[in-house]
Amino acid sequence: MGKLFGTDGIRGVVNAGLDATLAYQVGLAAAVVMAKEKGKSRPLVAIGKDTRVSSDLLECALIAGLCSAGADVLRLGVVPTPAVAWITVDSGADAGIVISASHNPFEHNGIKVFNSQGYKLRDELENAIEEIVLSGQFPQLKTGGELGRVIPGEDLSEKYLDHLASTIEDDLDGMRVLVDCANGAASATAPGLFRRFPKLRADIIHAQPDGVNINNGCGSTHLDDLKARVVEGEYQLGLAYDGDADRFLAVDEKGEDIDGDQIMAACARVLQREGKLNGSTMVGTVMSNLGLHRFAADNGMKLLCTPVGDRNVLEQMLEGDYVIGGEQSGHTIFRQYATTGDGELTSLQFLQVLHRAGCKASELVADCKRYPQVLVNLPVESKEKKEEIMASQALKDAIAAKEQALAGAGRVLVRPSGTEALLRVMVEAATTEEAASCAEELADVIKNL
């Protein structure tokens, strides 16, 4: 991890760590690095954004930097993160840039770069961009006809939605669902996507972004409103995306949440039945619930676990040629159709599985039990402090003692956040009370270090 790029691009509070000057400099540097990487004097870069009030500011600054260095820009407007990845490949662009902070509050924003194949930029290229920005060794600015141009690309999202719709065969006839767009990027695409299924009744909520209401009490990180409305309206399923629509979680007919582990389990079982689950393997992370591990064992599957982050999941999928992987938080990757986690794609896949099963959503996921899991987030003052705490022998001893006390009926995971100044303590146990007690005791250890 570099000084600018974290595990999911550059993140920060706008004008308090991430500002127009930095975005302009990243645009300049990215144009230089991509021109060298692709052997072109005039690379083409696709840019999309979410609905945050700061996204316009950062978009203009990035475009100014890219065009000043001679790169052309394909301007996509408000689109989900996975749409940028897909359009980058489909349009033959040399790179794609997303302006979003995903599930974080509106005052945060971020810059994430995809390569021409739709994958997150590899470390060497991120480091090369960082080196230019931090050293201040910027290229000579282009003049005259060598300046980059901005190409309108807002209509390309329709091709992306056609692609998503083509990934399932069912018309979803008879289904009635409620869709929460988190006042984010899905607000621009989900209505059009579900119109492609006229026999499906999909009611849309939280799709009136005003720049500051993204993820605010709605979306995949705040399910309470969706749960209440699903039960009150007697919907079969609630669908929830996050701010940039790369995550998808669901709510069953009883108002209970269905997490990413359960969604992946239901889809993987169908893939296995159809002979499409390569190696009988799905890829999760160290945060995958114990219930998913046991589901895999009970159904003759393997579950490979990576460090947290869909980038790590994808790398493992590519290495082993696996077709499905994901995170409990709702990032699910269907490698046949996408190069990154895609919330809208995943929701279609899950809807088709449910439609064909002919049962209630609660019944579909019942055999992938979720063991109580408690997560405590602890703010820390700096990256250096995170590293110091993680290296502490006192913390290691405390974790070992808790793992021994759980005696195989649970687990403990303490890890630094890759995108925020936090340490995360996760404990899984037979009961919520036991997990909470263990997590709080570990939190107290950390606070005293």
Side-chain angles (χ1 to χ4, degrees):
M1 194 187 304
K3 293 182 179 179
L4 295 180
F5 286 91
T7 56
D8 203 24
I10 299 170
R11 290 282 182 92
V13 174
V14 175
N15 287 338
L18 174 58
D19 56 20
T21 300
L22 178 58
Y24 172 76
Q25 293 172 342
V26 169
L28 282 174
V32 171
V33 170
M34 297 318 300
K36 182 177 179 181
E37 171 74 7
K38 307 302 290 188
K40 294 181 177 180
S41 60
R42 199 178 192 88
L44 174 64
V45 180
I47 290 188
K49 61 186 176 182
D50 70 16
T51 58
R52 293 163 209 272
V53 66
S54 60
S55 290
D56 291 345
L57 177 156
L58 295 177
E59 178 193 44
C60 291
L62 275 164
I63 290 174
L66 288 161
C67 290
S68 293
D72 290 332
V73 173
L74 184 60
R75 191 175 193 173
L76 306 180
V78 173
V79 290
T81 287
V84 176
W86 188 86
I87 293 170
T88 295
V89 177
D90 187 66
S91 64
D94 299 299
I97 297 178
V98 182
I99 301 164
S100 176
S102 190
H103 61 284
N104 288 336
F106 84 93
E107 61 268 21
H108 295 254
N109 217 322
I111 300 170
K112 179 161 55 180
V113 187
F114 292 107
N115 66 19
S116 60
Q117 295 175 299
Y119 298 120
K120 292 179 182 178
L121 211 60
R122 66 180 193 269
D123 291 344
E124 307 92 273
L125 296 183
E126 286 186 347
N127 292 339
I129 292 172
E130 266 197 16
E131 185 176 347
I132 292 172
V133 173
L134 297 178
S135 69
Q137 300 298 312
F138 297 105
Q140 182 175 353
L141 302 185
K142 304 294 184 181
T143 59
E146 292 185 335
L147 287 168
R149 293 169 170 80
V150 178
I151 304 165
E154 288 83 359
D155 59 335
L156 294 178
S157 63
E158 291 299 316
K159 288 186 68 179
Y160 166 69
L161 296 182
D162 287 341
H163 162 68
L164 294 186
S166 74
T167 66
I168 65 171
E169 299 173 353
D170 289 22
D171 59 9
L172 307 177
D173 184 19
M175 299 193 77
R176 184 168 175 268
V177 301
L178 187 61
V179 183
D180 183 345
C181 295
N183 290 316
S187 303
T189 53
L193 175 62
F194 290 109
R195 280 196 297 269
R196 285 163 165 78
F197 298 90
K199 295 184 178 181
L200 164 72
R201 177 176 169 183
D203 295 330
I204 310 291
I205 60 173
H206 299 304
Q208 296 83 37
D210 61 10
V212 300
N213 62 358
I214 185 171
N215 300 317
N216 185 13
C218 56
S220 64
T221 49
H222 303 282
L223 292 172
D224 286 349
D225 183 58
L226 180 62
K227 288 179 178 181
R229 294 195 195 202
V230 165
V231 173
E232 181 182 355
E234 298 183 345
Y235 291 93
Q236 291 168 275
L237 193 70
L239 316 179
Y241 308 118
D242 67 336
D244 67 338
D246 66 348
R247 297 187 187 196
F248 160 67
L249 296 178
V251 171
D252 71 20
E253 77 286 352
K254 299 177 181 179
E256 298 296 326
D257 56 304
I258 300 174
D259 69 13
D261 286 346
Q262 293 173 306
I263 290 165
M264 183 164 67
C267 294
R269 178 166 46 201
V270 172
L271 290 170
Q272 183 188 45
R273 189 180 303 144
E274 296 174 348
K276 298 177 182 177
L277 189 66
N278 289 2
S280 294
T281 298
M282 51 184 166
V283 181
T285 75
V286 292
M287 289 293 289
S288 296
N289 193 277
L290 184 59
L292 183 61
H293 287 265
R294 296 190 173 174
F295 171 88
D298 291 343
N299 287 273
M301 301 179 194
K302 298 176 183 176
L303 175 63
L304 298 181
C305 290
T306 73
V308 171
D310 60 340
R311 179 175 187 165
N312 297 315
V313 172
L314 179 61
E315 287 177 357
Q316 181 68 65
M317 292 174 69
L318 291 171
E319 182 180 330
D321 193 27
Y322 303 124
V323 297
I324 189 170
E327 298 186 278
Q328 187 185 56
S329 59
H331 286 123
T332 308
I333 303 171
F334 290 85
R335 201 162 64 83
Q336 179 182 353
Y337 306 118
T339 57
T340 187
D342 189 324
E344 290 173 308
L345 168 63
T346 303
S347 65
L348 288 183
Q349 298 298 315
F350 189 72
L351 280 171
Q352 178 166 268
V353 169
L354 180 60
H355 186 248
R356 292 183 174 182
C359 64
K360 295 179 179 179
S362 60
E363 297 168 345
L364 181 68
V365 300
D367 59 345
C368 184
K369 179 182 176 182
R370 283 184 302 166
Y371 285 75
Q373 197 176 67
V374 172
L375 180 66
V376 177
N377 292 320
L378 298 169
V380 290
E381 58 198 44
S382 65
K383 176 183 175 182
E384 290 73 23
K385 185 64 176 179
K386 280 197 286 189
E387 293 172 349
E388 177 187 332
I389 293 173
M390 289 302 298
S392 164
Q393 188 59 48
L395 176 59
K396 293 176 183 178
D397 291 344
I399 292 171
K402 292 303 179 186
E403 287 176 335
Q404 185 175 3
L406 291 170
R411 61 195 181 103
V412 174
L413 178 66
V414 179
R415 66 177 186 88
S417 168
T419 58
E420 301 175 78
L422 298 172
L423 282 175
R424 305 192 192 277
V425 178
M426 188 280 289
V427 179
E428 224 164 48
T431 67
T432 301
E433 293 75 17
E434 184 179 10
S437 174
C438 182
E440 289 299 333
E441 289 174 16
L442 285 171
D444 288 342
V445 171
I446 292 171
K447 291 173 185 176
N448 291 320
L449 290 177

